[in-house]
Amino acid sequence: GLVVLAAIVCGYAFKGPTWGTFLLLISGVSGLIGFWCWIRYFPRTPVGRRLILENDARDWHGTDQGKRELAGKEGMAHTTLRPAGTAIIDGQRIDVVTRGEMIAANTPVRVVKVEGNRVVVTAVE
């Protein structure tokens, strides 16, 4: 890149604006063609296949799908929930939040809502 830039500057300095502009256009068009070829053919080369992931992200999930099953279940607050903390639900430690209230440790809780990875609980009366 520096050599091409130096050639363009030298074209303007030593040969005039016509040569400088000609070199600028040729290097721009060549750069675009080279970039297109790189994008088009590099993934098919042995090095490109080793650098690029084979799997796409269609099957990946940003949330834990198993947490949806927690809705309506009851458990025990493992830590004090002020309003976030940990609860034991179905024998698993789960990070939970309340709707704003503070719940003491070892208080029975019920899952009222699951929003992605956010598990909302309330104290059981």
Side-chain angles (χ1 to χ4, degrees), residues 24-108:
L24 180 64
L25 290 175
I26 291 297
S27 62
V29 170
S30 299
L32 289 174
I33 291 172
F35 182 70
W36 179 81
C37 289
W38 177 268
I39 295 296
R40 178 100 172 136
Y41 298 111
F42 178 72
R44 297 180 188 159
T45 64
V47 174
R49 284 192 299 266
R50 287 180 30 192
L51 289 176
I52 297 173
L53 291 175
E54 293 178 14
N55 298 336
D56 56 13
R58 289 185 191 138
D59 297 333
W60 297 353
H61 301 285
T63 60
D64 183 4
Q65 301 298 317
K67 287 190 178 181
R68 290 182 182 170
E69 300 168 0
L70 295 175
K73 293 192 176 182
E74 293 187 3
M76 187 72 64
H78 184 65
T79 62
T80 301
L81 307 179
R82 37 181 131 166
T86 305
I88 305 292
I89 303 171
D90 284 345
Q92 298 178 5
R93 290 176 58 144
I94 307 289
D95 291 326
V96 298
V97 296
T98 67
R99 290 187 254 176
E101 68 271 13
M102 183 174 150
I103 299 175
N106 299 320
T107 302

